[in-house]
Each structure stands twice: as C-alpha cells, then as structure tokens.
Amino acid sequence: MAKLRSLLLVTLLASLSTVIAESWKVQDINLILAAPGGAKKAEHKLEYPYAVKELAADPSDVLKFSFKIDNKEKPHQAMVVFQSQDEFQDEIMVAASVKSSGKGRFDLNFNKADAKFRYGTRKYSMTFLVGGPKIDEPYKYNLGHIQVQGPTSNPATRPARLHYKAQPEIHHQFRPDQKLINTAISGLFTILVLTPFAALFFLWSKLGIKFEPLQALTSKPFDLITAVTFFGSLAGIEFVFYSYWTHVTLFPVLQALGVLSVVAFISGRYVLSAVQTRRLQRTAGSAKKEL
Amino acid sequence: MRASILLSTLAMALVAQATSLTGLRTLVLLDTLDDADAYTDLWSDLEGRRFNLTINDASTPVSLTKYDRRLYDHLIFLAPKMKEYPKGMNAKAVVGFVAEGGNVILAGSSDLANPLRELSREFDVEYDNRYTSVLDHFNYDKDLGKEKHDTIVVSPSTQMSKIDAIVPQEKLPGPILFRGIGHSANPKNSLLTPLLWAPQEAYSWESVNLDESADQDPLIAGKDISLVSVMQARNNARIAFLGSTDMLSDAFFNAPVNKQGDKETVNGNRKFIEELTKWTFQEKSALDVVAVQHHKVGEAEAPAHYRIKDNMTYTISLAEYHDGEWHPFSADDVQLELIMLDPYVRKTLEQVELDDQSTVGTFTTTLQLPDQYGVFKFTVNYKRPGLTYIESVTTVGIHPFRHDQYPRFISQAKPYYTSAASMGVGLLIFSVVYLWGGLDSSVKTTKKA
C-alpha cells in the first residue's frame, strides 16, 4: 500500500516535471513539391495541426521540406516518416539535416529514394517527428497525405515470403467412359439376327413336320432312354460351352467335354441307328408299294 | 497396424518425462562469469523446466560435438562482446550444431562484435553496426531510458507477429522493454519470421555519442527494425535472434513500464522470454506423425499395389507436444496430395471426433484413385507458422486394369451374343427335328418316272 502510494507520488512528480521541462518549438514548416525543372507544383506553409490533403507527386518530382527549431538543444531525430496507406503499411523514414542555427531541411527525390516508393502508385501519410535525448517530450506533427506515382518503367517488386496455407482442392477428371452406340440399334440387330429362325420355321412348316417318332418313343423304352441321353448330352455340351464362355477355365471344361462327348457318341449311335431303321422301313414300304 | 500405434504412444509416454523434445543439456555463453548474477530469474525459470545449464564464459574451451554426436542440445549466446569463439567452437561448428537438430538463442547488444554478427549472417539475419542502438523518442521508458531514449517500450498488440504457436499475445501481461541493437531479417527468406519489431517512430543509430544529430536516412527504421526474429530450419531446429541481452535480465524482468505519456504498468518480458524459450527449445508447438495407414475400402491391410479407380481410405495421426506431454492435434486444413511429378488429387482431410481417450488426432478421407497409372506418392505436406514441418510421404504403385478387369459383357454386343447362342440353340432344335421330326418316316409318293 505504501509502495503504491509512493509510486503514485513519483508519477505525479514526473508528470509535473514534464510540464515544467522543455518541449520542442518548431516553426516555419514549409512543404514544396517541385517538378524536375525546378517549377513549383505545390507550396504549403504548414502550421500545427493543419494537414495537407491533396498532394500528388510523380516519380521524378522532388519534395522539399524545411523547418526551424527554436530550442537551444539540437534535436537528434528530425525526420519525416512516410507510411503507405495500403494493406502492407510500408514505412520510409527520411532524415533532415539540422544546422546549428536550428534550420533544417531535406530534398526527397522519389526516384532516388528508398525502393519502397517504387512498388506502385500509393498514397502515403507523412508524419514529422522531432526528438532528442535531452528533452522528454517529443514533437509529432501529422503533415497530411501525398500520392506518389509508381515508375512507368522497371518498377521495384516487393520481396515476399512464402505463406503456407491450405491450397485449393484438385479433383481428378476421370476419362469419360468409352462412347458406345445406342442400345436400340443393337436391339434391332439382335432381332435381325433371329430372323433366319423365322424363315426356318416357316419352311419347316411347309414341309409338314408331325413329330410322329416322338410319340412312338414313349412305347419303346430303350429308344426313349437313348434319345433322352443323347439330347441331354448335347444340351450338356452346350452348357459346358456356355460356362466356359462365362467363368470356367479350360481344364475343367476339357474334363467335362471328355465325359460328355463319349456319352454323346455312344447314345448318338443308337439314336442314329433308329433313324436308319425308320428310313429303311420307309424305302421298304415304298418299294412294297411300287411292287 | 494397431500394434505400431500402441508402440509409438508408449515411446512417446517414455519421452514425456522430459519437457524438451530435443534434450535438456544447455550451454550458456557469457562474456564474463560475473554476468551470471544479472540473469538469476532466467536461470531459475530454465532450471524449473528441468534444463541442465552449463554456464561458461567465452574463454573456456568447449566442444559442441564429440564422436559426431551433439554434446549439448541447446545453445544460448549471452556474450555479445565476444571477440573470438571459445576454443573448440567456431561459426561452422554452430551451424553444424543446428544441422544436427540443436536449438540456439542468440542475444546481441549494442556492443555486438564480429563473430556473432557473422554467425547471424549465416541465417540471413543482419545486425546493425557496432555501437548502434534502437532509439525511439516517442516510446521510451522514462526510468531505464531517461538518458538516451534507448530503452523502448514495444506493444505486443501492434508490434508482435500474431503467431499464437510461438508467443500467444493474450498471455503477455504488458508491453515489452527492449534496449539493444536492431537487426533486419531477409524479407525473402521463408524460414525466418520477425517476431517483434520496433514502433513506427523508432530508428537505429549510433548511440555512444548522441550530440550529433541523425542527419542521414537511417539504414533501418520503424517496422524494418526487427527486435526479435525466429527461424525454424528445415530439420525443425529452432533459432531465436534477439537484439538485447538486457531484456532477459533480472533488472528488466522486474522493472515497471513507465512509458513517456502513459500510465505505469507491469512488463511482459518474463512471460515473453518464457514462451520464446519454450518454443525455441521444442517444448511446445512440436508436431509428430504417429501413424499413416492406407488401404482399399473394405479391407484392413495396405495392399501391395493399387489399381486405377480403386477406392482408397487414407488415415494419418498427428500429435502435438506441449506442457510435457503429447496431446491430440486438431486442425481443419491438413491436406492429402497424390503426386506423380504433379499433384493429381488434393483433398482436405477430415478429423475424426476426439474423445477422452484420444492420444492422437486422426485425419482421414476416402477418395477414388485417378485413372493414370504409375508410381504415386501420398504426401501430407503441412507447414504452418510456428509449428514443426510435417512432410509425410508414402510411395505406392498404381497399376492399370488387368486384362480380365474390364467389363465383361456390353449391352451393345447383344447381336453377337445372340448369334452365337442361336447357333447352339439351333443345333439342338435341328437335332430334335431331324431325329424325331418324322421327315424320314412318312410315306412319300415317288414321282412317276
């Protein structure tokens, strides 16, 4: 508590002492914007706290700044800091040389000045700073704004660091599926492929097929068995071919075919001999007829 | 795969006894051993975090490596006036020390001599000339900087970089006091980041004799004066460059801030140095890849190779080290890239929900592999300010379709299928008609000759 009170007293005394101590007395502040030939584009006699608003400079222009300091101490810092009014807020500090009489000035040629002026056309705020070690309270005067054109040829590029952050997503474009013809066309041709069957059935009907031996089969069991076996083995061979076409590999197919072909051969002989007997009966019958 | 995660978490638990991931052996170099009395608070802070401090002065011979192994894990230079390295050390040895993973804190002052200036140049940090200081007549401390306005008050809200991984601004109780030399960090170097810089009105000028005014443009002024810069090398070793040995001293840790024109406050030096040393000595903001898994959707193990257009699930687990332990890492911008010379796919990974038992943060995604075959790299390249660089690369081969992996049947080939099938069906129909159709048994009338 006592420490706090003594701290407060010290602060009070310090604040009083700054009122008694000196501060910087700056006068005759002149701001001149001169074209390369020497012609004055703008001239301002500034008095605190008036700030210059409209000032536009080309890269080849010269900004002449002068002032007078009335204190007996020379300031250590008598500088104008230009701060760009974009998102980068670059700062350029330009020093004025102060003579023993207290008069100080600087000439700023934007082309020959810091490279930051050449990053592009930007607006800068100008702040005049005066300070020195012997006087506690410094002097700050916001002079206003100036727009400096960037150079038309070879502008300086601002150095930049790499900023790692999430990058845009990349979605792979897959190759489109192979273009195939319309399924309707393949449907049409499927029907075309099946038309010979229609022709076959038509012609067969013309011949007058009656399936008479089929009915006769039911009475002769041996013929029935051989007929069924033969037809079954043929259908089996077809089925083996189908399964080979879809998913079976060669060797099981060869085994199945070996079995089925033997069965088909043997049963086929019996079936064909039955056909032959029917044929012979027919020729014998017709021969009988002729006789 | 689960076994490997368990083993790595066990390994991490064992390491968690130490607070710094690199190690605890710290070498401190001072100008003279008497200077050690000025930094007692710093020693107690470091020893409280279990560091073994070896405090030497510049005349004691010391060696940083023995038999190609580092003898120390961290190096603190508090000897700006050092005219020569101690015997057994030189700039090349210090750079080699960093290349081996050692962390360095280099503090200068207005009396900074050549050896440390040239060492900093190796890291793209250029200190101003000898006997210059950072001067600021607008932001100086009235007690410590009364004479020369060289003790400046830096406000963390405007003059500190907003990287929470290094020094989080909300933890600092007040502004930072600084008295020393300024440096400039190369603005093109992406590994180097200025952490603390001078206020707008500050400039760097010769400070032995302030009677002569500064009548030329200062070399560095305002924001360009970096007061503290940090660098994280590509092997994740961290180096901090400070311009002031005083900002680490007891006098500054305990001094109140009496800025010209402001009320008196406490300073944030002690907390700033604590957070800075925690970051530099790998006690926080250190990431590690715990496990990487990838497999086809529906399987559990990674296949020997993938096939184009496969659906694949990729999972990566990341952990973050702070407060002496590994914690699950959370982020929303971890990305996976599939690269074969150029990235073909880039996708942001989603984080699996954390629960109480999580020790790692798991990020996962499912995507379809591109239809370009070749040798791809699944990379997670995660580099963020203040965190260690994560580059996880898994090389896999992506094969084209095998001859039997194409579509087997096409609906447009129906005519061909039908014609082949019709042959078989026709054979059966024909055999029935021929064998039992009665064409050969019906009596025919022969033609009259």
Side-chain angles (χ1 to χ4, degrees), chain B residues 64 183 249 303 326-327 340 367 433:
Chain B
L64 289 175
H183 62 267
S249 65
W326 288 96
H327 299 266
M340 178 167 73
L367 49 80
V433 167

Side-chain angles (χ1 to χ4, degrees), chain A residues 76 89 136 181 245 278, chain B residues 140 203 223 408 412 435:
Chain A
H76 191 259
Q89 303 218 302
D136 289 343
I181 54 171
W245 187 58
R278 280 204 299 273
Chain B
Y140 65 95
Y203 59 105
K223 261 198 331 218
R408 182 69 179 85
Q412 275 81 357
L435 291 172

Side-chain angles (χ1 to χ4, degrees), chain A residues 28-240:
Chain A
D28 293 345
I29 304 175
N30 276 333
L31 192 64
I32 298 170
L33 186 62
K40 290 188 191 166
K41 281 167 80 170
E43 185 168 359
H44 296 269
K45 277 191 175 36
L46 298 166
E47 219 175 285
Y48 189 85
Y50 170 73
V52 165
K53 289 204 185 37
E54 295 294 321
L55 204 58
D58 290 328
S60 50
D61 287 346
V62 175
L63 186 72
K64 300 187 192 185
F65 181 72
S66 58
F67 54 91
K68 183 168 189 309
I69 299 204
D70 279 337
N71 302 68
K72 43 181 196 350
E73 282 91 19
K74 255 180 40 157
H76 191 259
Q77 176 186 35
M79 303 175 182
V80 173
V81 62
F82 293 79
Q83 184 188 50
S84 71
Q85 301 294 298
D86 53 4
E87 76 262 31
F88 300 111
Q89 303 218 302
D90 293 322
E91 289 162 8
I92 306 128
M93 200 169 294
V94 182
S97 59
V98 180
K99 295 202 272 284
S100 47
S101 61
K103 287 209 184 121
R105 60 171 293 120
F106 70 73
D107 291 346
L108 179 64
N109 184 334
F110 291 108
N111 261 339
K112 300 199 190 110
D114 195 302
K116 295 202 196 84
F117 282 118
R118 297 201 290 280
Y119 288 162
T121 302
R122 297 193 286 182
K123 196 168 186 184
Y124 299 86
S125 68
M126 304 182 286
T127 313
F128 183 33
L129 306 168
V130 179
K134 298 221 176 44
I135 292 184
D136 289 343
E137 200 179 310
Y139 173 88
K140 185 187 222 182
Y141 176 15
N142 192 334
L143 300 171
H145 288 84
I146 184 170
Q147 170 113 344
V148 179
Q149 288 286 111
T152 41
S153 62
N154 61 316
T157 42
R158 122 193 303 282
R161 289 195 172 89
L162 280 176
H163 283 289
Y164 288 101
K165 55 183 185 292
Q167 286 174 296
E169 295 203 348
I170 299 174
H171 299 282
H172 182 77
Q173 283 276 53
F174 287 91
R175 242 175 260 125
D177 282 335
Q178 220 176 358
K179 254 172 33 122
L180 295 167
I181 54 171
N182 210 337
T183 33
I185 299 175
S186 78
L188 171 69
F189 275 90
T190 310
I191 295 172
L192 281 180
V193 156
L194 290 175
T195 44
F197 271 113
L200 181 66
F201 291 148
F202 172 69
L203 290 171
W204 272 346
S205 65
K206 274 285 182 60
L207 282 176
I209 300 168
K210 284 191 196 59
F211 288 104
E212 180 199 278
L214 259 186
Q215 275 84 356
L217 270 183
T218 49
S219 51
K220 293 175 241 166
F222 178 69
D223 278 352
L224 179 66
I225 291 169
T226 50
V228 167
T229 318
F230 180 64
F231 188 78
S233 61
L234 270 190
I237 292 175
E238 295 288 339
F239 178 72
V240 166

